[in-house]
Amino acid sequence: MSRKVRVGIIGCGGIAEGKHMPSLAKLENVEMVAFCDIIKERAEKAAVNFGIKEAKIYEDYRELLKDETIEVVHVCTPNNSHCNISVASLEAGKHVMCEKPMAISSDEGKKMVEAAKRTGKKLTIGYQNRFRTDSQYLHKVCSNGDLGEIYYAKAHAIRRRAVPTWGVFLDEEKQGGGPLIDIGTHALDLTLWMMNNYKPQVVMGSTYHKLGKKKGAANAWGSWDPEKFQVEDSAFGFIKMENGATIVLESSWALNSLDEDEAKCTLCGTEGGSDMKEGLRINGEKYSKLYTEKVALDSDGVAFFSGSEESAADLEARLWIEAVINDTAPIVAPEQSLVVTEILEAIYQSAETGEPVYFKKSN
Ligand SMILES: NC(=O)c1ccc[n+]([C@@H]2O[C@H](COP(=O)([O-])OP(=O)(O)OC[C@H]3O[C@@H](n4cnc5c(N)ncnc54)[C@H](O)[C@@H]3O)[C@@H](O)[C@H]2O)c1
């Protein structure tokens, strides 16, 4: 692969610096040529650390999009700007990797999917947990039908006390919600992908603003300011799929629970089950005996799986850029992310009204 893909980064904060830019920097077929942030110093710093020598700095993403030599844009801004920036980027002829969650509403998500279809450009969402070694292995297990029909699943996104206190995570308008849209989105994406089931029928949800009101609370990133804590601190969903399968989604940034687990799923099928505790475990029954197998996830441990030295973030970036170069579909399809967005929205809606939210029957 001789050609280099010219990439522009929009939003040079935490996730751009922690995930996108370091992973893209490892790829020989990528050059980061433009950086945009409304805080100019962040774009400048990113350009120095990750850009080519002639990298350009922007404070307005619309100016960056005028550069016709840029083929790919990574959107790493707060949630409420994902839709506008992604649609504008697709319309400017760029392929788009947008951070999760896709958008703050299903209407916005639909606009993004439509823009990708209209322009013929690729759109993907930054669900890097699909690219972990355990997830990749479990996906093979599920695709192979080893668990049979998966009719019950749990999507886990529970932190005992880890409320993100930087940036705008607590701001309802900018983020569109709290832990449900922030980390529940990862767990649900992973669960639906394993089940290969994107047809919800009905959703019930509850959200809570309980611990967010506490002053001086213990927290991994320092006490939060209860005045600024506008979003929910916990949210739970009960999702019934058209084929009768049930998914329970648990999400929290602060919960009095020792059952902490994030971006994980438990799957229960007719032939076996799995959970992501102690790595990855598969359980089942053979000759009237129950078994639980712990899957060795290092490269030596699994015979038919090559294992991977790459981190989830590196694999996500590499496969995305390869999809662009080879003109193939990205692993995270925008239509799948739209279903995640619709379910999260339904949980919020049900929590507000106290009523179940029914989906239109698919064809
Ligand atoms: N994949 C993951 O696991 C993961 C983890 C953390 C954050 N995220 C997502 O990444 C996004 C950003 O989160 P973050 O933690 O990096 O936040 P952050 O606040 O650290 O960074 C966001 C950056 O965007 C800039 N910005 C805001 N509006 C802009 C605009 N219109 N044009 C250009 N720049 C703009 C801000 O100045 C800031 O530097 C969020 O959507 C968040 O959900 C994903």
Side-chain angles (χ1 to χ4, degrees):
M1 279 182 249
S2 54
R3 110 184 150 77
K4 292 209 183 234
V5 175
R6 288 168 65 84
V7 178
I9 306 288
I10 302 178
C12 301
I15 195 65
E17 213 175 22
K19 181 177 94 167
H20 297 258
M21 300 191 290
S23 293
L24 288 170
K26 290 180 190 155
L27 297 173
E28 280 178 8
N29 48 12
V30 163
E31 46 190 17
M32 282 175 270
V33 300
F35 299 85
C36 172
D37 201 294
I38 50 173
I39 302 172
K40 196 177 172 197
E41 301 74 55
R42 293 195 181 163
E44 286 170 343
K45 185 178 160 215
V48 169
N49 290 339
F50 299 101
I52 58 168
K53 218 163 69 210
E54 310 76 27
K56 299 240 168 52
I57 307 295
Y58 298 92
E59 287 170 83
D60 183 339
Y61 71 87
R62 288 165 297 196
E63 294 302 315
L64 180 150
L65 295 180
K66 288 182 186 160
D67 182 342
E68 287 179 359
T69 72
I70 296 175
E71 197 177 344
V72 168
V73 153
H74 283 222
V75 178
C76 305
T77 54
N79 301 350
N80 69 338
S81 59
H82 288 181
C83 173
N84 283 348
I85 299 180
S86 297
V87 170
S89 303
L90 291 161
E91 282 175 346
K94 320 296 183 201
H95 301 294
V96 175
M97 152 74 78
C98 175
E99 253 313 326
K100 54 63 30 183
M102 179 180 217
I104 59 171
S105 70
S106 60
D107 280 349
E108 287 194 345
K110 277 182 201 134
K111 282 186 194 158
M112 292 165 75
V113 170
E114 279 160 15
K117 281 200 185 122
R118 193 169 58 241
T119 58
K121 294 292 158 187
K122 295 182 199 304
L123 168 65
T124 196
I125 307 299
Y127 286 119
Q128 77 275 2
N129 290 293
R130 288 196 194 187
F131 301 90
R132 299 192 322 243
T133 310
D134 55 346
S135 308
Q136 291 276 306
Y137 182 85
L138 183 57
H139 191 252
K140 283 180 202 280
V141 170
C142 294
S143 306
N144 198 40
D146 294 353
L147 301 187
E149 179 201 340
I150 301 167
Y151 57 92
Y152 175 69
K154 191 156 115 176
H156 310 250
I158 295 287
R159 296 178 185 169
R160 189 175 173 194
R161 290 291 188 287
V163 177
T165 45
W166 68 93
V168 295
F169 284 93
L170 307 183
D171 183 322
E172 178 75 49
E173 194 196 320
K174 294 212 166 69
Q175 288 295 98
L180 179 62
I181 202 166
D182 182 43
I183 55 176
T185 191
H186 273 305
L188 182 59
D189 172 69
L190 200 62
T191 308
L192 297 182
W193 187 54
M194 296 302 172
M195 296 171 80
N196 189 24
N197 188 342
Y198 290 94
K199 293 181 177 171
Q201 185 190 45
V202 57
V203 167
M204 281 286 291
S206 315
T207 57
Y208 296 92
H209 296 69
K210 300 284 184 191
L211 304 192
K213 298 205 183 340
K214 296 207 177 205
K215 274 198 184 129
N219 188 40
W221 293 295
S223 294
W224 55 83
D225 179 350
E227 299 291 316
K228 293 199 177 133
F229 207 131
Q230 299 164 354
V231 295
E232 83 278 1
D233 49 51
S234 299
F236 307 97
F238 184 92
I239 305 146
K240 185 151 183 188
M241 309 302 281
E242 275 187 11
N243 72 345
T246 297
I247 302 170
V248 170
L249 168 57
E250 297 183 339
S251 67
S252 183
W253 285 333
L255 189 71
N256 287 323
S257 166
L258 298 178
D259 191 17
E260 291 179 273
D261 241 339
E262 189 170 335
K264 302 265 177 80
C265 61
T266 297
L267 306 174
C268 306
T270 49
E271 302 303 317
S274 67
D275 63 32
M276 294 172 138
K277 297 195 185 291
E278 301 169 31
L280 178 62
R281 299 187 303 191
I282 311 285
N283 69 76
E285 182 178 338
K286 257 184 208 161
Y287 315 118
S288 305
K289 296 279 184 207
L290 298 178
Y291 71 87
T292 308
E293 270 174 21
K294 218 173 139 184
V295 181
L297 291 167
D298 54 70
S299 45
D300 296 334
V302 184
F304 72 90
F305 183 67
S306 62
S308 169
E309 298 305 314
E310 273 177 309
S311 69
D314 289 351
L315 184 60
E316 175 187 56
R318 182 167 66 74
L319 295 181
W320 159 239
I321 295 298
E322 283 176 12
V324 168
I325 289 176
N326 302 327
D327 194 17
T328 53
I331 290 189
V332 179
E335 293 81 5
Q336 297 172 339
S337 308
L338 178 58
V339 176
V340 173
T341 310
E342 287 170 340
I343 293 175
L344 298 183
E345 184 177 69
I347 293 174
Y348 281 126
Q349 198 183 322
S350 166
E352 207 173 303
T353 61
E355 301 290 333
V357 174
Y358 289 91
F359 283 71
K360 250 214 298 245
K361 194 166 166 23
S362 62
N363 302 316

